């Protein structure tokens, strides 16, 4: 049973560039959430995708956008990269089940460094 | 939006002692409270969660308590072992969607 997988594991970019990060959810899951984790801090919610639509969004600028595909995999895109975007980007998947709360399972993350 | 505060930021205990980490939340509509353990360089791993319709949940050496009136919840680890050393995060969410995390507690268990 495959868990949440993310690619790439590491990425180095320069300011102003654009980046795309990818996530495949755990088998059987249909909901994908993205988080940014700066060094020494807790994960910060970016947004969540369900049924190929952004369902909820945290306090992140429009430079952060995403997409979910019919197979439930997801991409996170960040435009006009800033030094402050350097962080570990975590993807978590879960199973939507009406109003009930389903656990989110995390991938290993993509470590993004901006030079 | 939801705001989660977590204390202490660091905690050092002797092997065999108990460890307690406390979190408070601001959104009274939050109804799901998971705890994650993150070892250095690894993914956060769910260790226990509690929903707002119960006040306490236990899984072997780990227990979580929830006080909805006071809007705080706590993680209790008994008989700590060196492998319990990690950073622990609490989180709160409404409907399991946008989870808001605390800043983390670095637990060190000294042999």
């Amino acid at each position: 049973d495959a868990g949440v997988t993310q690619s790439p594991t590491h990425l180095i970019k320069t300011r102003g560039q654009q980046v795309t990060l990818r996530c495949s959810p755990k088998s059987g899951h249909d909901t994908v959430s993205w988080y940014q984790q700066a060094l020494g801090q807790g994960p910060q919610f970016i947004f969540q995708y369900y049924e190929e639509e952004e369902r909820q969004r945290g306090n992140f600028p429009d430079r952060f956008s995403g997409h979910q595909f019919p197979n439930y995999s997801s991409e996170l895109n960040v435009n006009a990269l800033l030094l402050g975007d350097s962080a570990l980007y975590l993807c978590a998947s879960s199973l939507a089940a009406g109003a009930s709360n389903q656990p989110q399972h995390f991938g290993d993350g993509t470590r993004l460094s901006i030079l | 939006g939801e705001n989660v505060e977590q204390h202490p930021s660091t905690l050092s205990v002797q092997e065999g002692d108990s460890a307690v980490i406390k979190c408070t939340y601001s959104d009274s509509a939050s109804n799901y409270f998971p705890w994650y353990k993150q070892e250095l360089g690894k993914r956060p791993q769910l260790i226990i969660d509690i929903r707002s319709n119960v006040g306490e949940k236990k899984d072997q050496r780990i227990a979580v308590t929830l006080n909805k009136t006071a809007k705080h919840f706590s993680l209790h680890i008994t008989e700590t072992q060196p492998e319990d050393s990690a950073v622990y995060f609490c989180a709160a969410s409404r409907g399991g969607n946008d989870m808001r995390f605390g800043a983390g507690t670095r637990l060190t268990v000294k042999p």
Side-chain angles (χ1 to χ4, degrees), chain A residues 4 33 35 37 40-43 45 48 55-59 88 90 99-108, chain B residues 31-32 36 38 41-46 49 51-52 89 93-104 106:
Chain A
V4 180
S33 303
Y35 295 83
Q37 186 176 26
Q41 297 183 23
F45 176 72
Q48 184 180 78
R55 181 157 71 171
Q56 205 146 5
R57 188 180 183 93
N59 189 27
L88 179 67
L90 293 162
S100 67
N101 306 302
Q102 299 300 312
Q104 294 189 14
H105 296 266
F106 283 88
D108 287 330
Chain B
N31 57 8
Y32 177 64
Y36 286 85
Q38 189 175 30
K42 297 192 176 180
R43 69 179 72 183
Q45 290 202 314
L46 179 70
D49 58 10
R51 291 165 173 78
S52 59
F89 293 99
S93 78
R94 189 192 303 191
N97 296 331
D98 58 335
M99 283 202 302
R100 306 299 168 135
F101 283 79
R106 181 172 299 280

Side-chain angles (χ1 to χ4, degrees), chain B residues 11-12 22 24 60-61 69-70 80 91 106 109:
Chain B
L11 180 59
S12 182
K22 298 181 179 181
T24 61
Q60 299 183 341
R61 296 186 298 109
T69 303
T80 54
R106 181 172 299 280
V109 180

Side-chain angles (χ1 to χ4, degrees), chain A residues 5-8 20-24 34 69 73-77 91 110:
Chain A
T5 58
Q6 292 186 242
S7 63
T20 297
L21 311 181
R22 295 175 176 82
C23 172
S24 291
W34 286 92
F69 299 94
S73 66
S74 176
E75 289 182 350
L76 164 65
N77 301 293
C91 167
T110 294

